[in-house]
Amino acid sequence: MTQAPLAADGAGARSAAFADFALAAARDAGAAILPHFRAPIHVDDKGGARGYDPVTEADRAAEAVIRAAIQQRYPHHGIYGEEHGRRAGSAPYTWVIDPIDGTRSFILGQLHWGTLIALNDGVRPIVGVMHQPYVDESFVAVDGRAEWRRGAARRALQTRPCPRLEDAVVASTDPRHFQSARQMAAYAEATRDARLVRFGGDCYCYTQVAMGLVDIVIETGLAPYDIQALIPLIENAGGVVSNWDGGRCDAGGDVLACGDPALHAALLRAIAEAT
C-alpha cells in the first residue's frame, strides 16, 4: 500500500502510524470500489428495522481489501466490519470498518458516500479516517488533530461557533428514521427552529461539522461502524458527539453531533425536557 505520512513525534508516532495505515487501506479499498461506481451493479437488500438496506459487491470487496491489510500488518488486532462481521484479536485494539457508508447514494451515482475506518483502543476510537475515492478527498483524525486532504493539499479542520439553534444548519440522513415518540420529539427539537435542514449526507454530514459548514447532525439507529471513525474527527476539530443522553455513542444508536459545545449542551437539555 502507498502510505501518506502524518507528522508526529514521541508518543504520537505509533498513533500516526495507525492513521497512515488506515488511510492507505481506505485508498486501496477505493480502488476496489470505483470500477463499480456509476456502473451496472447487483444490489441485495439486507432489510432490517429501518427498511431497505442495500449492499453491493463493491461493499463486500472493499471490506475484504481492508481486512486483508489488517490481518497482514496487525494480525493480533480485532476487526469489526459491517459486511464480514467480527474477528476477535488478542490485542486490545479493534479496527471498525464501514466499507461504503452511504450505499444508497453509491447505487444512485451520488457522491455522499465514503469508506470509514476507525481504530478503537478498547476504550474509545483513537483514529478515524473517511475517504471518498471518486473525488480523492480524505478526512483524518489522530492525536488531537483533524485534517482534510486532497492530493497535496492539507488543511486543519475547525468547527465554527454557533450557540443558537436559530442560526444553525442541521444535517441528517433520512427523517423517516425517526419513528418512535421519543425519536420524533428529539428530531423536532433539533430542527424546528433551525435556519436550514438538509438530508441524505450519511458520513459527509459529520465531516461537514468538522469543516465548520454544518452545526448539528442528529441521527438514530446507527451501528458502531457508522460512527466510530467520525467521533475523533469532530472531537479533534472542537465539536462534541454523544448519544441523546450526553454519554458516549461508540456503540451507535441515537447520535447528536454539534460543532459548538454550547449548542450541544442546549440541545441535550431540550431533548431531555421534550422526551
Side-chain angles (χ1 to χ4, degrees):
M1 292 186 297
T2 57
Q3 302 260 352
L6 194 76
D9 54 21
R14 188 176 188 186
S15 294
F18 287 146
D20 293 342
F21 167 81
L23 180 56
R27 288 185 176 278
D28 288 349
I33 293 169
L34 285 180
H36 304 286
F37 184 52
R38 295 181 176 172
I41 189 169
H42 177 73
V43 180
D44 294 318
D45 180 11
K46 294 187 290 185
R50 298 201 297 179
Y52 183 57
D53 187 8
V55 62
T56 72
E57 59 187 298
D59 298 78
R60 298 185 180 106
E63 184 171 321
V65 167
I66 298 167
R67 295 175 79 100
I70 295 167
Q71 289 167 5
Q72 180 178 15
R73 179 75 172 271
Y74 300 111
H76 301 299
H77 289 192
I79 304 174
Y80 178 24
E82 178 176 10
E83 308 306 337
H84 299 298
R86 294 178 181 267
R87 191 204 73 173
S90 57
Y93 297 106
T94 298
W95 295 91
V96 184
I97 307 161
D98 192 341
I100 301 179
D101 184 83
T103 301
R104 294 170 183 82
S105 293
F106 177 82
I107 62 177
L108 295 179
Q110 297 175 338
L111 298 179
H112 284 163
W113 57 273
T115 296
L116 298 178
I117 303 177
L119 178 62
N120 192 301
D121 68 356
V123 177
R124 62 195 299 156
I126 60 171
V127 169
V129 165
M130 184 284 223
H131 177 62
Q132 214 293 354
Y134 189 77
V135 298
D136 192 25
E137 182 174 51
S138 305
F139 299 83
V140 180
V142 64
D143 286 336
R145 305 187 306 280
E147 187 177 77
W148 169 89
R149 300 180 179 188
R150 187 178 184 190
R154 303 284 188 272
R155 184 169 75 246
L157 299 180
Q158 181 66 51
T159 63
R160 67 184 177 192
C162 182
R164 294 179 358 116
L165 181 58
E166 293 83 356
D167 299 323
V169 175
V170 183
S172 188
T173 297
D174 190 337
R176 296 177 301 170
H177 292 165
F178 301 90
Q179 296 182 351
S180 72
R182 182 172 191 261
Q183 290 167 353
M184 289 188 289
Y187 172 78
E189 290 300 323
T191 58
R192 181 170 47 226
D193 297 323
R195 173 172 293 177
L196 177 65
V197 182
R198 301 296 291 174
F199 302 114
D202 290 286
C203 55
Y204 258 106
C205 295
Y206 299 88
T207 65
Q208 289 164 338
V209 172
M211 295 176 80
L213 301 173
V214 167
D215 304 296
I216 300 166
V217 178
I218 185 165
E219 300 208 89
T220 187
L222 298 188
Y225 42 74
D226 293 318
I227 190 63
Q228 287 209 20
L230 301 164
I231 292 171
L233 186 73
I234 289 179
E235 292 180 341
N236 292 2
V240 184
V241 190
S242 76
N243 63 27
W244 294 353
D245 298 315
R248 298 290 303 176
C249 61
D250 303 26
D254 301 325
V255 173
L256 177 69
C258 296
D260 190 314
L263 179 60
H264 184 268
L267 271 176
L268 287 181
R269 291 192 297 269
I271 290 171
E273 292 171 1
T275 61

